[in-house]
Amino acid sequence: MSRHVAVIGAGAAGLTAAIRAAEAGARVTLLNAHPKVGLKILMSGGTRCNVTHATVTERDFNAGSRPFVARVLRAFTVEQTLAWFAALGVELKLEDTGKYFPVSDDAQTVLDAMLGAASRAGVSVRCGARVVQLERRGSGDGFRLGIQNVRDGAAFLEVSAVGRSHWEPSAVEPDEWLEADAAVMATGGLSFPRTGSDGTGYSLLESLGHSLESTTPALTPLAAEDPLCRVAQGVTLDAELSLWRGDARLIAVRGSFLIAHFGYSGPVSLDLSRHYLRAGLEAGASAAPLRVTASFVPGIDRTALNAAWLAAAGMESRATVRRFLASMLPDRLGMELAKEAGVHPATALSQVPKAARAALMVQLTARPLPVNGTLGYEKAEVTAGGVRLSEVNPSTLESRVAPGVFLCGEVLDVEGRLGGFNFQWAWSSGTVSGRWLDA
């Protein structure tokens, strides 16, 4: 008789693991805590689902071990991902950003194809089956899974509202028990908890003896009280954000920057968020405070800007500050930066005092962004931190602490930058964790 495998979590990684295990000959039960399957897939990429990126390496990830990540990515590459989705009937297109999306521009296409593959492979999918206990069978071989049945989305929010920090597996009485020979943990992290990622997977793994790297939101918008958010709300442009501790620059990231009513969004803000939160988590009490600056003219330093200013002033004596800024920036943003530097936008370039010009150059290349936090897990696309990679075999993703348990996706201490990298991690790690079984 084939082994019975319970896959806990029916997101991108869990669906992949379930399909792979069933194709290898296992009898697979896929358990999803939320009554609806694949909610994060449907939400991703503005509901278009950024399936992967043209080039994916371990350098695109933050993790406890990049060699670990590299090994998993090699086991199921971008090229294999493209071929797999083609075989599933999902036609993909490559955009100028290097991102792959379904030609339909509809995430439902991806989810339907994966559910179809799971059905054809014989996977039994149970929705609204929240695993609240995971323990060894009395014989020591295989596992017992305590399941709480969740009726609908509202009920799910009720049972998960206490959050991971107050939740203990032993404190929840299951409605039923399921026995399995092996378990695949694809429970996700803490991001978008209303979709099913409420942290119970972390607690289940801790109950088996695993330890966690501290978790924080990642790929979440930055919160701020900034005049820019009032006068330039909705403005989008290319920018470079730098994170500093005192005079030391910790990291710089570049990409599309969106000024929103609550603070800052867009890919560059989301990519910086994990570094901002992790740096705050790791700092000691005596550490210098963190600060963030923005260059709204990335790739251009103050010397080059000053030369461009003087050249523009020399070419036309009546050239104004506003016209100069408009050649580089959206008008509303340029006007606010000029105001902050004490420069009237109608002033001719040649008439601006040297000190005022220097102040404006600072605003263009290193304007302080008064970040006071993030929008947290509720808006985070992924979770930073998770199960320590040293406790998992990179060849199979089997737990070294609890043999017979396999881990994939976001539950591990791996998270990628924005652009399809986290989905590639899901496809790769789901494949590795699921395909180990032969009937």
Side-chain angles (χ1 to χ4, degrees), residues 309 316-326 331 334-336 338-339 342-353 360:
W309 178 294
E316 185 180 349
S317 61
R318 291 181 295 178
T320 64
V321 171
R322 184 169 197 166
R323 186 188 301 179
F324 177 77
L325 294 176
D331 187 64
M335 294 307 90
E336 177 61 22
K339 176 183 174 182
V343 178
H344 195 285
T347 307
L349 295 176
S350 59
Q351 299 302 309
V352 177
L360 181 54

PDB file of all heavy atoms in Angstrom, residues 309 316-326 331 334-336 338-339 342-353 360:
ATOM      1  N   TRP A 309      22.855  71.613 -13.644  1.00  0.00           N
ATOM      2  CA  TRP A 309      22.231  72.896 -13.277  1.00  0.00           C
ATOM      3  C   TRP A 309      22.978  74.049 -13.952  1.00  0.00           C
ATOM      4  O   TRP A 309      22.362  74.921 -14.591  1.00  0.00           O
ATOM      5  CB  TRP A 309      22.270  73.019 -11.761  1.00  0.00           C
ATOM      6  CG  TRP A 309      21.725  74.292 -11.171  1.00  0.00           C
ATOM      7  CD1 TRP A 309      22.229  75.549 -11.316  1.00  0.00           C
ATOM      8  CD2 TRP A 309      20.567  74.417 -10.333  1.00  0.00           C
ATOM      9  NE1 TRP A 309      21.481  76.457 -10.620  1.00  0.00           N
ATOM     10  CE2 TRP A 309      20.441  75.781 -10.004  1.00  0.00           C
ATOM     11  CE3 TRP A 309      19.652  73.529  -9.814  1.00  0.00           C
ATOM     12  CZ2 TRP A 309      19.419  76.261  -9.175  1.00  0.00           C
ATOM     13  CZ3 TRP A 309      18.642  73.996  -8.989  1.00  0.00           C
ATOM     14  CH2 TRP A 309      18.528  75.346  -8.683  1.00  0.00           C
ATOM     15  N   GLU A 316      20.374  78.912 -21.150  1.00  0.00           N
ATOM     16  CA  GLU A 316      19.223  79.823 -21.227  1.00  0.00           C
ATOM     17  C   GLU A 316      19.136  80.589 -19.908  1.00  0.00           C
ATOM     18  O   GLU A 316      18.881  80.001 -18.853  1.00  0.00           O
ATOM     19  CB  GLU A 316      17.927  79.041 -21.471  1.00  0.00           C
ATOM     20  CG  GLU A 316      16.722  79.945 -21.667  1.00  0.00           C
ATOM     21  CD  GLU A 316      15.450  79.170 -21.917  1.00  0.00           C
ATOM     22  OE1 GLU A 316      15.522  77.945 -22.151  1.00  0.00           O
ATOM     23  OE2 GLU A 316      14.372  79.799 -21.871  1.00  0.00           O
ATOM     24  N   SER A 317      19.325  81.866 -19.990  1.00  0.00           N
ATOM     25  CA  SER A 317      19.382  82.671 -18.770  1.00  0.00           C
ATOM     26  C   SER A 317      18.063  82.689 -18.013  1.00  0.00           C
ATOM     27  O   SER A 317      18.042  82.893 -16.799  1.00  0.00           O
ATOM     28  CB  SER A 317      19.793  84.109 -19.121  1.00  0.00           C
ATOM     29  OG  SER A 317      18.828  84.690 -20.000  1.00  0.00           O
ATOM     30  N   ARG A 318      16.953  82.459 -18.735  1.00  0.00           N
ATOM     31  CA  ARG A 318      15.645  82.509 -18.070  1.00  0.00           C
ATOM     32  C   ARG A 318      15.152  81.140 -17.620  1.00  0.00           C
ATOM     33  O   ARG A 318      14.028  81.015 -17.151  1.00  0.00           O
ATOM     34  CB  ARG A 318      14.621  83.139 -19.010  1.00  0.00           C
ATOM     35  CG  ARG A 318      14.861  84.632 -19.265  1.00  0.00           C
ATOM     36  CD  ARG A 318      13.810  85.212 -20.169  1.00  0.00           C
ATOM     37  NE  ARG A 318      13.867  84.615 -21.517  1.00  0.00           N
ATOM     38  CZ  ARG A 318      13.027  84.913 -22.500  1.00  0.00           C
ATOM     39  NH1 ARG A 318      12.042  85.787 -22.292  1.00  0.00           N
ATOM     40  NH2 ARG A 318      13.165  84.348 -23.685  1.00  0.00           N
ATOM     41  N   ALA A 319      15.963  80.126 -17.769  1.00  0.00           N
ATOM     42  CA  ALA A 319      15.565  78.783 -17.317  1.00  0.00           C
ATOM     43  C   ALA A 319      15.296  78.813 -15.814  1.00  0.00           C
ATOM     44  O   ALA A 319      16.106  79.329 -15.030  1.00  0.00           O
ATOM     45  CB  ALA A 319      16.662  77.778 -17.629  1.00  0.00           C
ATOM     46  N   THR A 320      14.152  78.269 -15.416  1.00  0.00           N
ATOM     47  CA  THR A 320      13.734  78.331 -14.013  1.00  0.00           C
ATOM     48  C   THR A 320      13.993  77.020 -13.287  1.00  0.00           C
ATOM     49  O   THR A 320      14.222  75.965 -13.885  1.00  0.00           O
ATOM     50  CB  THR A 320      12.236  78.643 -13.909  1.00  0.00           C
ATOM     51  OG1 THR A 320      11.502  77.554 -14.492  1.00  0.00           O
ATOM     52  CG2 THR A 320      11.897  79.948 -14.618  1.00  0.00           C
ATOM     53  N   VAL A 321      13.928  77.111 -11.984  1.00  0.00           N
ATOM     54  CA  VAL A 321      14.064  75.928 -11.134  1.00  0.00           C
ATOM     55  C   VAL A 321      12.981  74.917 -11.473  1.00  0.00           C
ATOM     56  O   VAL A 321      13.240  73.715 -11.567  1.00  0.00           O
ATOM     57  CB  VAL A 321      13.988  76.334  -9.646  1.00  0.00           C
ATOM     58  CG1 VAL A 321      13.911  75.094  -8.760  1.00  0.00           C
ATOM     59  CG2 VAL A 321      15.167  77.216  -9.272  1.00  0.00           C
ATOM     60  N   ARG A 322      11.771  75.404 -11.685  1.00  0.00           N
ATOM     61  CA  ARG A 322      10.656  74.487 -11.978  1.00  0.00           C
ATOM     62  C   ARG A 322      10.911  73.702 -13.268  1.00  0.00           C
ATOM     63  O   ARG A 322      10.679  72.489 -13.314  1.00  0.00           O
ATOM     64  CB  ARG A 322       9.347  75.270 -12.093  1.00  0.00           C
ATOM     65  CG  ARG A 322       8.129  74.378 -12.290  1.00  0.00           C
ATOM     66  CD  ARG A 322       6.842  75.140 -12.139  1.00  0.00           C
ATOM     67  NE  ARG A 322       5.715  74.260 -11.939  1.00  0.00           N
ATOM     68  CZ  ARG A 322       4.519  74.649 -11.510  1.00  0.00           C
ATOM     69  NH1 ARG A 322       4.300  75.933 -11.215  1.00  0.00           N
ATOM     70  NH2 ARG A 322       3.541  73.771 -11.349  1.00  0.00           N
ATOM     71  N   ARG A 323      11.394  74.382 -14.288  1.00  0.00           N
ATOM     72  CA  ARG A 323      11.649  73.694 -15.557  1.00  0.00           C
ATOM     73  C   ARG A 323      12.780  72.680 -15.396  1.00  0.00           C
ATOM     74  O   ARG A 323      12.720  71.582 -15.953  1.00  0.00           O
ATOM     75  CB  ARG A 323      12.010  74.706 -16.646  1.00  0.00           C
ATOM     76  CG  ARG A 323      12.139  74.057 -18.025  1.00  0.00           C
ATOM     77  CD  ARG A 323      12.687  75.013 -19.046  1.00  0.00           C
ATOM     78  NE  ARG A 323      11.862  76.201 -19.195  1.00  0.00           N
ATOM     79  CZ  ARG A 323      12.153  77.203 -20.039  1.00  0.00           C
ATOM     80  NH1 ARG A 323      13.266  77.137 -20.795  1.00  0.00           N
ATOM     81  NH2 ARG A 323      11.377  78.251 -20.122  1.00  0.00           N
ATOM     82  N   PHE A 324      13.807  73.051 -14.646  1.00  0.00           N
ATOM     83  CA  PHE A 324      14.924  72.137 -14.422  1.00  0.00           C
ATOM     84  C   PHE A 324      14.453  70.876 -13.702  1.00  0.00           C
ATOM     85  O   PHE A 324      14.785  69.746 -14.101  1.00  0.00           O
ATOM     86  CB  PHE A 324      16.004  72.837 -13.603  1.00  0.00           C
ATOM     87  CG  PHE A 324      17.173  71.969 -13.256  1.00  0.00           C
ATOM     88  CD1 PHE A 324      18.156  71.663 -14.202  1.00  0.00           C
ATOM     89  CD2 PHE A 324      17.318  71.444 -11.974  1.00  0.00           C
ATOM     90  CE1 PHE A 324      19.235  70.861 -13.882  1.00  0.00           C
ATOM     91  CE2 PHE A 324      18.400  70.641 -11.648  1.00  0.00           C
ATOM     92  CZ  PHE A 324      19.360  70.344 -12.604  1.00  0.00           C
ATOM     93  N   LEU A 325      13.662  71.051 -12.643  1.00  0.00           N
ATOM     94  CA  LEU A 325      13.176  69.902 -11.886  1.00  0.00           C
ATOM     95  C   LEU A 325      12.212  69.051 -12.709  1.00  0.00           C
ATOM     96  O   LEU A 325      12.201  67.821 -12.604  1.00  0.00           O
ATOM     97  CB  LEU A 325      12.498  70.369 -10.595  1.00  0.00           C
ATOM     98  CG  LEU A 325      13.416  71.032  -9.561  1.00  0.00           C
ATOM     99  CD1 LEU A 325      12.603  71.532  -8.368  1.00  0.00           C
ATOM    100  CD2 LEU A 325      14.498  70.067  -9.095  1.00  0.00           C
ATOM    101  N   ALA A 326      11.397  69.714 -13.543  1.00  0.00           N
ATOM    102  CA  ALA A 326      10.421  68.984 -14.351  1.00  0.00           C
ATOM    103  C   ALA A 326      11.078  68.064 -15.368  1.00  0.00           C
ATOM    104  O   ALA A 326      10.456  67.115 -15.846  1.00  0.00           O
ATOM    105  CB  ALA A 326       9.500  69.963 -15.065  1.00  0.00           C
ATOM    106  N   ASP A 331       5.958  66.980 -11.386  1.00  0.00           N
ATOM    107  CA  ASP A 331       5.924  68.389 -10.977  1.00  0.00           C
ATOM    108  C   ASP A 331       5.580  68.561  -9.494  1.00  0.00           C
ATOM    109  O   ASP A 331       6.223  69.348  -8.797  1.00  0.00           O
ATOM    110  CB  ASP A 331       4.917  69.147 -11.834  1.00  0.00           C
ATOM    111  CG  ASP A 331       4.964  70.640 -11.580  1.00  0.00           C
ATOM    112  OD1 ASP A 331       6.013  71.260 -11.866  1.00  0.00           O
ATOM    113  OD2 ASP A 331       3.962  71.195 -11.070  1.00  0.00           O
ATOM    114  N   GLY A 334       8.604  67.781  -7.406  1.00  0.00           N
ATOM    115  CA  GLY A 334       9.641  68.785  -7.571  1.00  0.00           C
ATOM    116  C   GLY A 334       9.325  70.064  -6.826  1.00  0.00           C
ATOM    117  O   GLY A 334      10.204  70.667  -6.184  1.00  0.00           O
ATOM    118  N   MET A 335       8.046  70.483  -6.882  1.00  0.00           N
ATOM    119  CA  MET A 335       7.659  71.712  -6.199  1.00  0.00           C
ATOM    120  C   MET A 335       7.784  71.587  -4.679  1.00  0.00           C
ATOM    121  O   MET A 335       8.206  72.536  -3.996  1.00  0.00           O
ATOM    122  CB  MET A 335       6.227  72.096  -6.578  1.00  0.00           C
ATOM    123  CG  MET A 335       6.040  72.473  -8.050  1.00  0.00           C
ATOM    124  SD  MET A 335       7.179  73.765  -8.635  1.00  0.00           S
ATOM    125  CE  MET A 335       8.582  72.790  -9.224  1.00  0.00           C
ATOM    126  N   GLU A 336       7.450  70.435  -4.140  1.00  0.00           N
ATOM    127  CA  GLU A 336       7.565  70.244  -2.695  1.00  0.00           C
ATOM    128  C   GLU A 336       9.026  70.221  -2.255  1.00  0.00           C
ATOM    129  O   GLU A 336       9.395  70.804  -1.238  1.00  0.00           O
ATOM    130  CB  GLU A 336       6.869  68.947  -2.272  1.00  0.00           C
ATOM    131  CG  GLU A 336       6.986  68.608  -0.793  1.00  0.00           C
ATOM    132  CD  GLU A 336       6.364  69.653   0.132  1.00  0.00           C
ATOM    133  OE1 GLU A 336       5.492  70.422  -0.323  1.00  0.00           O
ATOM    134  OE2 GLU A 336       6.773  69.696   1.315  1.00  0.00           O
ATOM    135  N   ALA A 338      11.527  71.700  -3.751  1.00  0.00           N
ATOM    136  CA  ALA A 338      12.030  73.077  -3.847  1.00  0.00           C
ATOM    137  C   ALA A 338      11.581  73.890  -2.632  1.00  0.00           C
ATOM    138  O   ALA A 338      12.367  74.648  -2.044  1.00  0.00           O
ATOM    139  CB  ALA A 338      11.545  73.716  -5.135  1.00  0.00           C
ATOM    140  N   LYS A 339      10.327  73.711  -2.255  1.00  0.00           N
ATOM    141  CA  LYS A 339       9.804  74.418  -1.087  1.00  0.00           C
ATOM    142  C   LYS A 339      10.587  74.050   0.169  1.00  0.00           C
ATOM    143  O   LYS A 339      10.958  74.926   0.971  1.00  0.00           O
ATOM    144  CB  LYS A 339       8.322  74.084  -0.901  1.00  0.00           C
ATOM    145  CG  LYS A 339       7.691  74.686   0.340  1.00  0.00           C
ATOM    146  CD  LYS A 339       6.245  74.230   0.471  1.00  0.00           C
ATOM    147  CE  LYS A 339       5.630  74.703   1.783  1.00  0.00           C
ATOM    148  NZ  LYS A 339       4.234  74.211   1.940  1.00  0.00           N
ATOM    149  N   GLY A 342      13.778  75.773   0.411  1.00  0.00           N
ATOM    150  CA  GLY A 342      13.711  77.234   0.478  1.00  0.00           C
ATOM    151  C   GLY A 342      13.978  77.908  -0.848  1.00  0.00           C
ATOM    152  O   GLY A 342      14.436  79.068  -0.876  1.00  0.00           O
ATOM    153  N   VAL A 343      13.670  77.212  -1.948  1.00  0.00           N
ATOM    154  CA  VAL A 343      13.918  77.759  -3.280  1.00  0.00           C
ATOM    155  C   VAL A 343      12.577  77.967  -3.989  1.00  0.00           C
ATOM    156  O   VAL A 343      11.782  77.032  -4.111  1.00  0.00           O
ATOM    157  CB  VAL A 343      14.795  76.792  -4.108  1.00  0.00           C
ATOM    158  CG1 VAL A 343      15.002  77.342  -5.515  1.00  0.00           C
ATOM    159  CG2 VAL A 343      16.129  76.551  -3.419  1.00  0.00           C
ATOM    160  N   HIS A 344      12.328  79.178  -4.452  1.00  0.00           N
ATOM    161  CA  HIS A 344      11.082  79.447  -5.170  1.00  0.00           C
ATOM    162  C   HIS A 344      11.199  78.859  -6.579  1.00  0.00           C
ATOM    163  O   HIS A 344      12.180  79.102  -7.290  1.00  0.00           O
ATOM    164  CB  HIS A 344      10.811  80.945  -5.252  1.00  0.00           C
ATOM    165  CG  HIS A 344       9.395  81.258  -5.642  1.00  0.00           C
ATOM    166  ND1 HIS A 344       8.934  81.109  -6.933  1.00  0.00           N
ATOM    167  CD2 HIS A 344       8.344  81.691  -4.894  1.00  0.00           C
ATOM    168  CE1 HIS A 344       7.653  81.432  -6.974  1.00  0.00           C
ATOM    169  NE2 HIS A 344       7.271  81.793  -5.744  1.00  0.00           N
ATOM    170  N   PRO A 345      10.210  78.082  -7.014  1.00  0.00           N
ATOM    171  CA  PRO A 345      10.321  77.389  -8.306  1.00  0.00           C
ATOM    172  C   PRO A 345      10.380  78.309  -9.516  1.00  0.00           C
ATOM    173  O   PRO A 345      10.870  77.904 -10.572  1.00  0.00           O
ATOM    174  CB  PRO A 345       9.062  76.513  -8.345  1.00  0.00           C
ATOM    175  CG  PRO A 345       8.122  77.119  -7.348  1.00  0.00           C
ATOM    176  CD  PRO A 345       8.972  77.706  -6.284  1.00  0.00           C
ATOM    177  N   ALA A 346       9.901  79.564  -9.364  1.00  0.00           N
ATOM    178  CA  ALA A 346       9.922  80.479 -10.506  1.00  0.00           C
ATOM    179  C   ALA A 346      11.258  81.211 -10.647  1.00  0.00           C
ATOM    180  O   ALA A 346      11.472  81.943 -11.616  1.00  0.00           O
ATOM    181  CB  ALA A 346       8.795  81.496 -10.373  1.00  0.00           C
ATOM    182  N   THR A 347      12.162  81.001  -9.698  1.00  0.00           N
ATOM    183  CA  THR A 347      13.463  81.675  -9.745  1.00  0.00           C
ATOM    184  C   THR A 347      14.319  81.140 -10.886  1.00  0.00           C
ATOM    185  O   THR A 347      14.358  79.930 -11.137  1.00  0.00           O
ATOM    186  CB  THR A 347      14.207  81.465  -8.419  1.00  0.00           C
ATOM    187  OG1 THR A 347      13.366  81.863  -7.329  1.00  0.00           O
ATOM    188  CG2 THR A 347      15.499  82.268  -8.388  1.00  0.00           C
ATOM    189  N   ALA A 348      15.003  82.043 -11.573  1.00  0.00           N
ATOM    190  CA  ALA A 348      15.933  81.607 -12.619  1.00  0.00           C
ATOM    191  C   ALA A 348      17.083  80.835 -11.980  1.00  0.00           C
ATOM    192  O   ALA A 348      17.544  81.167 -10.873  1.00  0.00           O
ATOM    193  CB  ALA A 348      16.469  82.810 -13.376  1.00  0.00           C
ATOM    194  N   LEU A 349      17.554  79.802 -12.654  1.00  0.00           N
ATOM    195  CA  LEU A 349      18.628  78.978 -12.114  1.00  0.00           C
ATOM    196  C   LEU A 349      19.841  79.812 -11.736  1.00  0.00           C
ATOM    197  O   LEU A 349      20.485  79.574 -10.701  1.00  0.00           O
ATOM    198  CB  LEU A 349      19.037  77.914 -13.143  1.00  0.00           C
ATOM    199  CG  LEU A 349      17.998  76.848 -13.500  1.00  0.00           C
ATOM    200  CD1 LEU A 349      18.539  75.946 -14.608  1.00  0.00           C
ATOM    201  CD2 LEU A 349      17.622  76.020 -12.282  1.00  0.00           C
ATOM    202  N   SER A 350      20.151  80.782 -12.560  1.00  0.00           N
ATOM    203  CA  SER A 350      21.348  81.601 -12.328  1.00  0.00           C
ATOM    204  C   SER A 350      21.205  82.508 -11.118  1.00  0.00           C
ATOM    205  O   SER A 350      22.205  83.059 -10.631  1.00  0.00           O
ATOM    206  CB  SER A 350      21.656  82.441 -13.571  1.00  0.00           C
ATOM    207  OG  SER A 350      20.554  83.278 -13.878  1.00  0.00           O
ATOM    208  N   GLN A 351      19.966  82.667 -10.629  1.00  0.00           N
ATOM    209  CA  GLN A 351      19.728  83.584  -9.509  1.00  0.00           C
ATOM    210  C   GLN A 351      19.600  82.873  -8.158  1.00  0.00           C
ATOM    211  O   GLN A 351      19.421  83.520  -7.133  1.00  0.00           O
ATOM    212  CB  GLN A 351      18.447  84.387  -9.772  1.00  0.00           C
ATOM    213  CG  GLN A 351      18.511  85.249 -11.019  1.00  0.00           C
ATOM    214  CD  GLN A 351      19.675  86.243 -10.968  1.00  0.00           C
ATOM    215  OE1 GLN A 351      19.839  86.970  -9.985  1.00  0.00           O
ATOM    216  NE2 GLN A 351      20.483  86.272 -12.026  1.00  0.00           N
ATOM    217  N   VAL A 352      19.684  81.583  -8.151  1.00  0.00           N
ATOM    218  CA  VAL A 352      19.557  80.839  -6.891  1.00  0.00           C
ATOM    219  C   VAL A 352      20.892  80.855  -6.162  1.00  0.00           C
ATOM    220  O   VAL A 352      21.925  80.470  -6.735  1.00  0.00           O
ATOM    221  CB  VAL A 352      19.133  79.380  -7.156  1.00  0.00           C
ATOM    222  CG1 VAL A 352      19.086  78.592  -5.848  1.00  0.00           C
ATOM    223  CG2 VAL A 352      17.770  79.334  -7.848  1.00  0.00           C
ATOM    224  N   PRO A 353      20.910  81.316  -4.902  1.00  0.00           N
ATOM    225  CA  PRO A 353      22.170  81.339  -4.142  1.00  0.00           C
ATOM    226  C   PRO A 353      22.782  79.935  -4.033  1.00  0.00           C
ATOM    227  O   PRO A 353      22.072  78.928  -4.034  1.00  0.00           O
ATOM    228  CB  PRO A 353      21.738  81.869  -2.767  1.00  0.00           C
ATOM    229  CG  PRO A 353      20.480  82.623  -3.029  1.00  0.00           C
ATOM    230  CD  PRO A 353      19.795  81.901  -4.142  1.00  0.00           C
ATOM    231  N   LEU A 360      18.881  72.150  -2.154  1.00  0.00           N
ATOM    232  CA  LEU A 360      17.983  71.454  -3.070  1.00  0.00           C
ATOM    233  C   LEU A 360      18.620  70.159  -3.575  1.00  0.00           C
ATOM    234  O   LEU A 360      17.937  69.142  -3.740  1.00  0.00           O
ATOM    235  CB  LEU A 360      17.608  72.371  -4.230  1.00  0.00           C
ATOM    236  CG  LEU A 360      16.653  71.790  -5.278  1.00  0.00           C
ATOM    237  CD1 LEU A 360      15.387  71.248  -4.622  1.00  0.00           C
ATOM    238  CD2 LEU A 360      16.309  72.854  -6.324  1.00  0.00           C
TER     239      LEU A 360
END
